[in-house]
């Protein structure tokens, strides 16, 4: 499916019928609904397919927000490992070489970020303390030392 999405993103045309077809295939494969927003050099494209909720008839809102939480770790790790396989990223190279704007310690490698063993500041707990009730009930807050760094730091670097 990832290859289909990538191919659809690369397909010509502002309307992006290939992308619409792919999100409909995702729903046909068993997902309740899909919302997708793409912002790239060709502009912005928004689409949705399926239902906003199980058993409902309303489409997922194109301007909706969905908290996917820790699922981003899997996507991020997959993308980083694809870059490793392509020779664009090295697992044992300092992460600071790829993300100089974050001021990371040179001893922290890409592998350490992916394994959550870098010893970076627990950003998740700090946000929870600052935001208060917003994070109550979220079991992951404070449990993984650099969970948030893998969410935030790697996503911008993957596309570049």
């Amino acid at each position: 499916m990832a290859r289909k999405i990538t191919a659809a993103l690369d397909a010509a045309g502002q309307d992006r019928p290939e992308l619409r077809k792919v999100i409909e295939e995702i729903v046909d494969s068993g997902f309740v609904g899909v919302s997708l927003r793409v912002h790239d050099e060709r502009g912005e494209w928004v689409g949705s397919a399926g239902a906003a909720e199980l058993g409902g008839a309303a489409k997922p809102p194109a301007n909706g927000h969905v908290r996917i939480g820790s699922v981003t770790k899997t996507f991020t790790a997959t993308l980083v490992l694809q870059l490793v396989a392509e020779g664009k990223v090295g697992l044992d190279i300092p992460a600071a070489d790829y993300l100089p704007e974050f001021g990371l310690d040179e001893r922290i490698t890409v592998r350490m970020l992916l394994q959550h063993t870098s010893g970076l500041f627990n950003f998740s707990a700090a946000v929870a303390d600052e935001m208060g009730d917003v994070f109550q009930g979220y079991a992951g807050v404070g449990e993984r030392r650099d969970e948030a760094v893998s969410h935030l730091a790697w996503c911008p670097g993957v596309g570049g």
Side-chain angles (χ1 to χ4, degrees), residues 27 31-35 48-62:
V27 170
F31 283 78
V32 174
V34 174
S35 292
S48 66
E53 61 183 47
L54 190 59
K59 287 188 135 229

Side-chain angles (χ1 to χ4, degrees), residues 25-99:
E25 285 179 24
I26 292 170
V27 170
D28 291 343
S29 75
F31 283 78
V32 174
V34 174
S35 292
L36 180 64
R37 177 178 303 272
V38 176
H39 183 81
D40 61 13
E41 65 278 352
R42 289 188 280 161
E44 188 165 294
W45 182 88
V46 180
S48 66
E53 61 183 47
L54 190 59
K59 287 188 135 229
N63 63 349
H65 297 276
V66 178
R67 176 168 161 56
I68 62 172
S70 293
V71 173
T72 59
K73 287 192 292 259
T74 305
F75 289 108
T76 301
T78 300
L79 290 171
V80 170
L81 291 174
Q82 286 176 345
L83 292 171
V84 169
E86 294 171 9
K88 296 177 180 176
V89 172
L91 286 175
D92 296 313
I93 302 297
D97 289 3
Y98 302 105
L99 303 164

Side-chain angles (χ1 to χ4, degrees), residues 1-9 16-29 34 36 49:
M1 190 56 69
R3 291 178 202 261
K4 284 185 177 184
I5 293 170
T6 301
L9 284 170
R16 302 190 190 208
E18 296 87 0
L19 205 49
R20 177 158 306 286
K21 181 181 176 195
V22 170
I23 64 173
E24 288 171 1
E25 285 179 24
I26 292 170
V27 170
D28 291 343
S29 75
V34 174
L36 180 64

